[in-house]
Amino acid sequence: MSNEKASDVIGKRREKIAELKADGVNLFPNDFAADHTIGVIKDKIENEPDSLSEDGPRFSVAGRMMAINKFGKSSFIRFRDRTGQLQAYIRKDRVGSETYSLFKRLDVGDFVGMKGVMFTTKTGEWTLLASELKLLCKAVRPLPEKFHGLKDPEKRYRHRYLDLIMNNSTRDIFIKRSRIVQAIRNVLLNRDFLEVETPMMQPIPGGAEATPFITHHNVLGMDLYLRIAPELYLKRLVVGGFDRVFEINRNFRNEGVSTRHNPEFTMLEFYQAYATFKDLITLTQEMFREVSQEVTGSTSVEFQGNTIDFGGPWRCMPLLESLQEIGGVDSGLLNDREGLLGFASSKGITITKTDRIGKIITKLFDILVEPKLIQPTFITGYPVEVSPLSRRSDKNPDITERFELFIAGYEIANGFSELNDPEDQRDRFLQQVAEREAGNPEAHFMDEDYITALEYGMPPTAGEGIGIDRLTMLLTDSASIREVILFPHMKPADKGIH
RNA sequence: GGGCCGUUAACUCAGUUGGUAGAGUAUCUGCCUUUUAAGCAGAGAGUCGCGCGUUCGAGUCGCGCACGGCCCA
């Protein structure tokens, strides 16, 4: 690398490491048996207080040193493993003068393994009295400052490992994220759903209106698209007899990066045969309550100054009604395309002139209503023209049996009774193809094989997608999607940060 | 795409009207066997994001660029 200019601190550290090597110290051994975790040791003392004694059990434990208080012939260290943090007391007369003089050459950030008994210090802190100590891994670079830690968001994202070492809150977010996914999985497995994996590389990208990433398969000599949604594959599986399926995996959309968009993001999609969108509205509420309870211990959460209550039942409102009641759109305008265009421009909202009325309505909704939907709210009654995969309402063929879920101003979920009439589906695709030819790069492609699958018969089905990143933002009170994605996309930093 | 803000030592941050670059932590040296952001004494450490300009002189003023943050579209 070009940035190997040795700074003072790192340069000195490298010199010290060279000396340790020259003295025959193995800086990267892997022969220490860490038989106990810090968590196990603490549990043991909780349950058997006699363990806190020089006659008590001898523990073998390893971790990264996070702080060192060196005295002349004894030292305290704080070290950490995946289960927590513990103090150890290293005395020259216990570990021997040879080990102690090696220890004095170690640094914060190094990994050590220790064996010893537990005791209580004068200040009452449980502490490992080490009788053996072994260097397990030498750190070349110093950790950030112990009190202020690592704050610079750019460095936190680019060097997430440092963020995880230094900031417990970051660790907690990603532990919670893992638990959220596990809790969702349990909700669905408990309801007899089958977890599946469908292609990430698709010859025809489908299931959403979005711009895909394109890649190329050399041997097959063909372009493939990173998927924008798994929907059309999951519904093929319903055709195949998997009546209840779900997938939790990445989608890719070739669009901007912001506090609420990352080009790759994680989506749950699930499909249930013999169910309607109304069943999914019920299931969604159950899922959110179970997941929130499991992960946060409560069915209400604090998010950016608002208390979000997942207790039910949640508000449910037709799209047009929400535009009138919340968006302040006069009811007379809702069927008046020209009137809506005028209204939009009076609000400073730019609308493409070729947009059809359904699209104009959803754009107005995005700006006038969505930010105001703080408590969980299902919006229903989406126009057919913006819902090319949804079943039509039996009462009104212009709208679909569809809902979107909004919480804290975020679109969190999208679900509907599935369109399983192959002829209608073909017409909808054709309409999309026409839109694409008219210049909408996000319109669907024709997918003949999907039509063929529907022609074999898909039972009446309802399906839904839930954004896992945004759900994690809600449950961890994170204002930016980058806080809940371990390695968010960043432009390359061609210099500077090393 | 637009606006505002940020970028100074490994980290967190000061830096006045333009006049030799500062602190704490970390590091190094010495002392110290119950510390908790340990303590005491001393030392070293900088391409002030990058480039151009104004000026006798730029971390500081101007223009451009890069990266990041927040807001708007």
Side-chain angles (χ1 to χ4, degrees):
Chain A
M1 287 300 295
S2 56
N3 298 62
E4 284 306 315
K5 53 165 191 185
S7 78
D8 183 56
V9 176
I10 296 172
K12 285 227 170 86
R13 193 70 82 84
R14 288 191 198 282
E15 285 171 23
K16 209 157 87 171
I17 287 168
E19 287 166 16
L20 283 166
K21 255 187 198 163
D23 291 345
V25 177
N26 185 352
L27 302 176
F28 304 100
N30 193 359
D31 60 352
F32 182 83
D35 297 330
H36 308 92
T37 62
I38 289 167
V40 161
I41 292 171
K42 288 180 173 173
D43 283 349
K44 177 92 171 164
I45 294 172
E46 291 276 4
N47 298 326
E48 299 170 38
D50 288 349
S51 304
L52 200 58
S53 150
E54 296 208 23
D55 303 323
R58 195 157 175 271
F59 297 104
S60 169
V61 61
R64 188 195 287 272
M65 293 196 286
M66 298 303 294
I68 304 176
N69 287 352
K70 280 181 193 170
F71 299 86
K73 298 184 182 65
S74 77
S75 302
F76 285 94
I77 66 170
R78 266 163 283 158
F79 69 105
R80 196 164 75 192
D81 69 9
R82 69 182 187 280
T83 63
Q85 186 164 288
L86 187 67
Q87 177 168 262
Y89 189 38
I90 320 295
R91 296 171 55 126
K92 186 176 180 180
D93 60 6
R94 291 287 182 135
V95 298
S97 57
E98 195 175 327
T99 297
Y100 195 76
S101 62
L102 168 69
F103 166 76
K104 279 170 78 171
R105 298 163 77 182
L106 302 185
D107 299 291
V108 169
D110 293 351
F111 288 85
V112 292
M114 286 165 290
K115 294 177 183 174
V117 296
M118 293 295 295
F119 77 108
T120 313
T121 63
K122 286 205 289 210
T123 55
E125 182 167 348
W126 295 347
T127 301
L128 181 81
L129 179 60
S131 50
E132 291 178 37
L133 179 140
K134 184 177 168 72
L135 172 66
L136 300 186
C137 173
K138 190 77 195 75
V140 177
R141 291 173 186 268
L143 292 179
E145 193 239 332
K146 61 188 169 190
F147 190 58
H148 297 94
L150 185 69
K151 287 186 170 173
D152 182 341
E154 185 171 356
K155 285 173 187 150
R156 288 181 49 233
Y157 298 150
R158 289 192 194 278
H159 305 288
R160 184 67 93 180
Y161 43 87
L162 269 185
D163 188 24
L164 289 166
I165 292 168
M166 298 309 298
N167 295 313
N168 286 332
S169 57
T170 302
R171 278 172 58 90
D172 291 344
I173 284 172
F174 290 105
I175 291 169
K176 259 190 189 168
R177 181 176 174 129
S178 176
R179 290 188 179 142
I180 287 165
V181 170
Q182 192 59 50
I184 289 171
R185 188 169 271 129
N186 288 340
V187 165
L188 291 168
L189 293 176
N190 288 340
R191 286 163 176 76
D192 203 27
F193 281 79
L194 180 74
E195 183 168 12
V196 298
E197 293 171 87
T198 64
M200 313 289 282
M201 297 193 293
Q202 303 178 346
I204 301 170
E209 292 203 10
T211 307
F213 288 93
I214 305 174
T215 186
H216 185 77
H217 192 298
N218 290 341
V219 173
L220 296 183
M222 66 184 292
D223 282 344
L224 288 164
Y225 299 87
L226 299 189
R227 75 177 189 193
I228 53 176
E231 173 158 355
L232 300 185
Y233 285 91
L234 289 169
K235 286 195 279 196
R236 283 174 171 94
L237 295 179
V238 178
V239 170
F242 288 149
D243 289 344
R244 295 186 178 199
V245 291
F246 76 98
E247 177 166 9
I248 301 171
N249 220 321
R250 220 68 59 79
N251 290 345
F252 306 85
R253 296 186 184 175
N254 205 338
E255 52 199 32
V257 175
S258 75
T259 50
R260 49 178 75 194
H261 294 94
N262 196 60
E264 54 179 303
F265 62 98
T266 301
M267 187 88 145
L268 160 70
E269 283 203 15
F270 57 101
Y271 292 82
Q272 178 175 348
Y274 316 111
T276 71
F277 76 116
K278 289 183 177 167
D279 297 312
L280 295 191
I281 283 177
T282 303
L283 175 54
T284 301
Q285 295 178 62
E286 291 171 4
M287 179 186 290
F288 275 57
R289 280 180 211 127
E290 286 181 39
V291 170
S292 177
Q293 183 71 45
E294 176 72 26
V295 172
T296 72
S298 168
T299 55
S300 70
V301 297
E302 282 297 312
F303 182 77
Q304 304 295 302
N306 289 309
T307 302
I308 309 291
D309 184 8
F310 296 125
W314 300 353
R315 193 176 186 189
C316 198
M317 195 177 214
L319 178 64
L320 294 183
E321 196 180 312
S322 77
L323 269 172
Q324 291 175 57
E325 281 194 19
I326 300 169
V329 180
D330 191 84
S331 63
L333 287 176
L334 292 171
N335 291 315
D336 174 4
R337 189 174 169 282
E338 293 306 316
L340 280 176
L341 280 175
F343 180 80
S345 67
S346 79
K347 292 274 176 184
I349 301 165
T350 48
I351 304 252
T352 314
K353 282 196 182 140
T354 55
D355 281 350
R356 295 196 293 163
I357 191 162
K359 192 144 247 177
I360 296 169
I361 282 173
T362 51
K363 277 189 184 173
L364 285 172
F365 173 87
D366 288 349
I367 291 159
L368 299 176
V369 182
E370 181 173 324
K372 294 180 180 166
L373 298 177
I374 304 302
Q375 294 303 322
T377 305
F378 293 104
I379 299 294
T380 60
Y382 282 83
V384 169
E385 61 201 66
V386 295
S387 313
L389 303 167
S390 306
R391 187 180 191 279
R392 288 177 200 272
S393 163
D394 289 333
K395 291 174 205 146
N396 178 354
D398 292 333
I399 64 169
T400 55
E401 294 189 352
R402 176 181 171 195
F403 66 86
E404 287 198 1
L405 169 63
F406 297 89
I407 306 175
Y410 288 90
E411 179 194 334
I412 299 290
N414 175 27
F416 41 86
S417 305
E418 302 298 337
L419 173 58
N420 61 349
D421 173 346
E423 216 170 304
D424 193 357
Q425 184 66 75
R426 179 184 296 281
D427 290 343
R428 307 270 196 102
F429 274 148
L430 287 172
Q431 180 60 48
Q432 289 287 313
V433 168
E435 276 193 32
R436 175 167 286 276
E437 283 166 358
N440 177 3
E442 298 192 337
H444 282 68
F445 291 87
M446 172 60 72
D447 188 335
E448 286 290 351
D449 181 71
Y450 178 65
I451 304 277
T452 302
L454 291 186
E455 286 173 348
Y456 280 100
M458 181 171 77
T461 298
E464 178 173 349
I466 296 178
I468 299 299
D469 308 279
R470 289 182 184 173
L471 176 58
T472 305
M473 289 168 70
L474 282 177
L475 294 182
T476 59
D477 196 11
S478 300
S480 167
I481 199 169
R482 294 183 165 190
E483 294 295 335
V484 303
I485 291 175
L486 279 167
F487 300 101
H489 280 282
M490 306 281 279
K491 291 189 185 177
D494 51 7
K495 63 188 305 176
I497 299 178
H498 276 280

